[in-house]
Amino acid sequence: MEFDLSWILLGLPLAFLLGWLASRLDLRQLRFENRRVPKAYFKGLNFLLNEQQDQAIDAFIEAVQSDPDTSELHFALGNLFRRRGEYDRAVRVHEHLLSRGDLGQVDRERAQHALALDFLKAGLLDRAEEALARLEATPFEAQARLALLAIYERSRDWPNAAAITQKMHAAQQGDFSTRQAHYLCEQALALIAQGDLITAETRLAQAAAVAPHAARPRIELAKLQQQQGQSGAAVATLLAMNAATPTALPLATALLVQAGQAAGQTAPVMQALQQHYHASPSLDVLEGIVALEAAGTALPGAGREWYVRHLETEPSLVAAAKWLATEKLEHEEFHPQVQRALDRASAPLTRYRCAACGFEARQHFWQCPGCQTWDSYPARRVEEL
């Protein structure tokens, strides 16, 4: 059979025409899709800027359905779900991203971080801890460690909290020595409650060594020593604390007075209190001085002149109420009512106030029960701030 070249000559232009038509159709489809996705995306962005989150979510869902492979749209959608409190939907979005085999390493780490935030916001601390642990050796490592630290503090897991702060300290993410001392003190208090006083004392000594200028380890150690009948050791511990951190002496004054009287060392205790008071007048230190003078003499009202001296330089309602408590008035029959009114008016002034959130409490806290901030309570009461 003889081959006819005319068919080839006719077929080549036809094949070229068909290919050209196919390419035009593909280009039109691509242009259509490229126009459609940005339109939905910018529509969602516009809703988001106008704080119309419901409409923004609908627009982003439309954009994701148009192009399921667009990771940025998934991130935007997941963040919107988290902000609205729809944590289960945010988790599904970020888990879908992590399940994709074509996701790059940078986006995979970003999705892992977003998933950890979803669990954290939802209060699923176990799953958040697991997700955050996977962010070690990634650009999100520092943020993950801070989040893990918050989880361990909330759950009072002090050993793991200490381990995290050691890593952060080694990585030069800050000085966490004072916080490590707090963790050791918390462990010591738990051991004291269990009756293991020897190990508790070891923990407190470690805390004092980790943070020499932190007041809490020595105050807790002095409490333990006083509890064991070692009043002389308690006095020495508190005087050493006063030398290292004199601003914290008001917090330890009552314990120092008690230990000094039990150990027969009222003279050095009085000297330390008076030196501190003259340098920085304080209501708690004033109370300690009055208590020591009253205990050292049988004279009625001994030491109460300190209240008058205090009022000469400090207009203190608390000191005035304490002075008036045992004072004889011209109309003595009205004294109880007047005293009750003064005590009620001065009571809020004797509280401690958190410098971070303003939470007030009758007792001093090392960690604010309101905002969970460490060392946010000054050693002075509200009236003295």
Side-chain angles (χ1 to χ4, degrees):
M1 181 178 176
E2 199 173 305
F3 185 71
D4 191 356
L5 293 176
S6 60
W7 289 104
I8 297 178
L9 295 176
L10 290 173
L12 285 174
L14 182 60
F16 176 79
L17 179 62
L18 291 174
W20 182 81
L21 290 173
S23 65
R24 294 297 297 174
L25 289 174
D26 289 341
L27 285 173
R28 288 185 62 188
Q29 180 67 19
L30 182 61
R31 288 172 183 169
F32 173 75
E33 290 179 355
N34 286 340
R35 283 196 300 268
R36 184 182 179 188
V37 172
K39 181 179 180 182
Y41 177 79
F42 287 116
K43 183 179 177 182
L45 185 61
N46 182 56
F47 283 132
L48 188 60
L49 292 174
N50 291 324
E51 298 184 357
Q52 297 173 284
Q53 293 190 7
D54 290 332
Q55 294 89 333
I57 286 176
D58 292 337
F60 282 131
I61 289 176
E62 178 186 347
V64 168
Q65 290 173 345
S66 302
D67 188 359
D69 295 331
T70 306
S71 59
E72 287 298 331
L73 295 180
H74 283 79
F75 283 121
L77 190 59
N79 291 338
L80 273 176
F81 283 142
R82 190 193 312 127
R83 286 179 59 185
R84 283 175 53 87
E86 299 181 49
Y87 304 119
D88 55 337
R89 300 180 74 181
V91 166
R92 286 201 298 271
V93 169
H94 295 130
E95 284 183 337
H96 170 71
L97 276 173
L98 287 171
S99 67
R100 284 173 46 180
D102 62 336
L103 197 66
Q105 184 63 26
V106 174
D107 283 341
R108 185 169 298 279
E109 292 167 352
R110 183 180 171 192
Q112 183 67 41
H113 180 248
L115 181 63
L117 292 181
D118 297 338
F119 290 140
L120 197 60
K121 291 290 187 180
L124 303 174
L125 300 186
D126 291 342
R127 300 186 69 180
E129 180 182 353
E130 181 183 352
L132 289 167
R134 295 176 180 173
L135 291 169
E136 282 288 326
T138 71
F140 298 98
E141 180 182 72
Q143 300 174 46
R145 286 175 176 174
L146 283 173
L148 278 171
L149 186 60
I151 290 174
Y152 293 142
E153 287 187 355
R154 280 180 63 181
S155 58
R156 303 184 69 80
D157 187 351
W158 306 119
N160 274 327
I164 286 292
T165 52
Q166 286 173 2
K167 288 182 180 178
M168 297 172 74
H169 193 85
Q172 298 183 344
Q173 292 179 233
D175 184 3
F176 292 90
S177 56
T178 303
R179 194 171 292 196
Q180 289 172 9
H182 280 301
Y183 299 155
L184 288 167
C185 289
E186 293 290 344
Q187 294 177 54
L189 293 179
L191 290 167
I192 292 172
Q194 297 168 10
D196 190 354
L197 304 185
I198 296 176
T199 310
E201 188 170 353
T202 302
R203 290 284 187 278
L204 293 173
Q206 291 173 350
V210 167
H213 294 286
R216 186 184 184 185
R218 289 190 172 92
I219 292 177
E220 300 292 356
L221 180 58
K223 287 179 182 178
L224 180 58
Q225 291 167 337
Q226 180 69 7
Q227 180 183 337
Q228 294 175 309
Q230 303 171 7
S231 299
V235 170
T237 299
L238 292 177
L239 291 179
M241 183 275 299
N242 180 44
T245 317
T247 56
L249 184 61
L251 299 176
T253 296
L255 179 60
L256 180 59
V257 169
Q258 181 186 359
Q261 290 174 334
Q265 299 182 22
T266 55
V269 170
M270 176 64 87
Q271 181 181 3
L273 293 179
Q274 289 185 358
Q275 285 179 352
H276 184 281
Y277 179 82
H278 289 309
S280 179
S282 163
L283 289 173
D284 290 290
V285 175
L286 176 65
E287 280 290 290
I289 294 172
V290 172
L292 282 177
E293 287 207 358
T297 178
L299 296 176
R304 295 183 63 255
E305 69 276 3
W306 279 90
Y307 291 130
V308 179
R309 297 178 196 172
H310 186 80
L311 289 170
E312 289 175 356
T313 56
E314 305 287 337
S316 170
L317 182 61
V318 176
K322 290 182 179 296
W323 175 82
L324 192 63
T326 56
E327 194 69 19
K328 295 295 182 181
L329 301 182
E330 181 179 355
H331 300 284
E332 188 61 26
E333 66 274 16
F334 301 121
H335 194 170
Q337 296 92 319
V338 173
Q339 189 64 45
R340 226 175 9 251
L342 283 173
D343 290 341
R344 184 173 181 180
S346 63
L349 302 177
T350 62
R351 296 174 181 170
Y352 296 96
R353 179 186 296 155
C354 174
C357 69
F359 186 89
E360 293 186 2
R362 293 182 180 179
Q363 69 180 82
H364 181 274
F365 288 100
W366 298 107
Q367 184 184 26
C368 176
C371 64
Q372 306 300 311
T373 304
W374 291 98
D375 294 317
S376 60
Y377 277 87
R380 293 177 170 273
R381 300 178 185 272
V382 168
E383 189 184 57
E384 302 172 278
L385 298 178

